[in-house]
Amino acid sequence: MRHLLLIPIVLSALTLGAHLLRAGYPLLTLAAAALPFLLVPRSPAALRLLQAMLLLGALEWVRALLEILELRRALGQPWHRMAVILGAVALVTALSALAAGVWARGRA
């Protein structure tokens, strides 16, 4: 049952990687896709790095949300659905950092 906590961690890393690839950062894409592998070593430092990167990823989603929101409002396009979707992605990414901590605690 505890392994279900890995699902949001992996999905958050992959969606962040896709976002970075679309933005034109192939090396950061690889780094984001490799984030779940930081759970393999039983190192508290690796866990904290994973959590920090997921929180930075959540902040990147919020930054992207605000940027797209400003653009859509300026163009008079609808923006509510986009804001809900990207807000949810940011929230899941942030909660994935918490899930990583819970998963590591259960493994110890």
Side-chain angles (χ1 to χ4, degrees):
M1 193 67 168
R2 184 176 62 88
H3 293 301
L4 291 177
L5 291 171
L6 294 175
I7 293 171
I9 297 167
V10 171
L11 288 178
S12 293
L14 292 177
T15 55
L16 184 59
H19 173 69
L20 292 169
L21 183 63
R22 188 174 188 283
Y25 299 109
L27 293 177
L28 289 178
T29 298
L30 291 174
L35 281 177
F37 290 108
L38 287 172
L39 289 171
V40 173
R42 294 179 181 234
S43 164
L47 173 64
R48 296 294 176 238
L49 179 61
L50 171 64
Q51 289 177 317
M53 292 297 106
L54 287 170
L55 289 175
L56 280 173
L59 289 175
E60 168 57 23
W61 284 117
V62 171
R63 186 206 61 78
L65 183 154
L66 294 174
E67 184 177 304
I68 296 170
L69 175 73
E70 182 180 319
L71 179 64
R72 285 184 171 244
R73 287 176 110 183
L75 295 174
Q77 295 178 342
W79 54 269
H80 298 88
R81 185 175 34 178
M82 177 277 309
V84 169
I85 291 169
L86 286 183
V89 171
L91 180 63
V92 168
T93 303
L95 290 176
S96 294
L98 179 65
V102 171
W103 187 85
R105 248 180 261 114
R107 187 172 74 168

